[in-house]
Amino acid sequence: MRHLRSLPGIISSSIVGLLVGHQLAYAFVFRDPRVLAHALADTGHTWLALLPILGGLALAISLVQTINTRDDSSSFRHRAAALIVVQLVAYVAIEIVERLAHGALPSDLFAEIASRQGALLFFVGLLMQVATALGVVLLSRGIASAARYLLRAARLAVCQRVERLLPASDPRRSVRALLLQPVRGPPLLA
């Protein structure tokens, strides 16, 4: 059940990594902006214009999910492995679908991969997917850690402020007592 709760975070994180890795692979192989634009148009990558929208939405979901997860080394390894697998499979699938949707035949796909530039693009794309998956996991781990630190600091600041407002003889003046004090509901009307 715990793995199902982390599924939205893994999917959204993999979308972020997939989009960034996809763009980086093409930018790395086609360094000239004009050639890059032509290669993207030729291979059916017009959907990458949605990168800011899809990436922003996926990043927001990923951040919310990351902040709400616990942080330990086993979850880091599992999350990294899951992202790498999802991104590699998605990258290969997207590359195939892009070309087929753009009018390429299956024989064209094999010819492109057999070409020097096609093989380089495919290999760099796979490497970028692994790199971005690891980067997303490390970044999300750092963001989650920072968010938890900020939440603890804010809670402590509120407690200290409340302590200053309470009289010195009030037992709730202790931060610990304040944090452990049960929350009461509104009075019942008789």
Side-chain angles (χ1 to χ4, degrees):
M1 185 67 173
R2 183 176 66 107
H3 297 294
L4 289 178
R5 279 185 276 146
S6 64
L7 192 60
I10 288 176
I11 291 172
S12 60
S13 294
S14 65
I15 290 172
V16 170
L18 179 67
L19 294 173
V20 171
H22 208 106
Q23 194 77 351
L24 286 175
Y26 277 84
F28 182 80
V29 173
F30 302 106
R31 294 192 180 138
D32 182 358
R34 292 178 304 228
V35 174
L36 174 62
H38 180 70
L40 290 174
D42 255 7
T43 54
H45 284 82
T46 54
W47 65 272
L48 281 176
L50 298 174
L51 179 71
I53 296 166
L54 292 173
L57 181 62
L59 184 62
I61 293 169
S62 178
L63 290 176
V64 168
Q65 184 71 27
T66 298
I67 289 169
N68 292 323
T69 58
R70 62 187 174 90
D71 188 30
D72 62 13
S73 59
S74 67
S75 69
F76 173 79
R77 286 191 301 273
H78 292 297
R79 188 172 171 89
L83 285 180
I84 289 170
V85 168
V86 168
Q87 284 184 223
L88 288 176
V89 170
Y91 177 74
V92 171
I94 286 172
E95 287 296 312
I96 291 169
V97 169
E98 284 168 345
R99 280 153 178 80
L100 292 176
H102 201 65
L105 300 171
S107 59
D108 297 335
L109 296 175
F110 293 117
E112 185 177 346
I113 290 175
S115 73
R116 181 173 171 249
Q117 190 162 9
L120 176 65
L121 179 61
F122 188 70
F123 180 71
V124 168
L126 294 175
L127 285 178
M128 289 296 176
Q129 292 307 316
V130 172
T132 57
L134 293 173
V136 164
V137 171
L138 287 172
L139 181 64
S140 66
R141 190 174 182 183
I143 289 170
S145 179
R148 284 190 287 272
Y149 174 79
L150 291 173
L151 287 172
R152 275 193 309 272
R155 192 177 307 134
L156 182 61
V158 167
C159 290
Q160 288 172 342
R161 184 156 210 164
V162 168
E163 279 181 348
R164 280 182 268 167
L165 296 174
L166 293 172
S169 61
D170 195 326
R172 294 176 297 174
R173 193 165 161 90
S174 161
V175 172
R176 185 181 194 126
L178 187 62
L179 288 174
L180 297 176
Q181 186 176 14
V183 177
R184 293 180 22 181
L188 297 176
L189 298 176

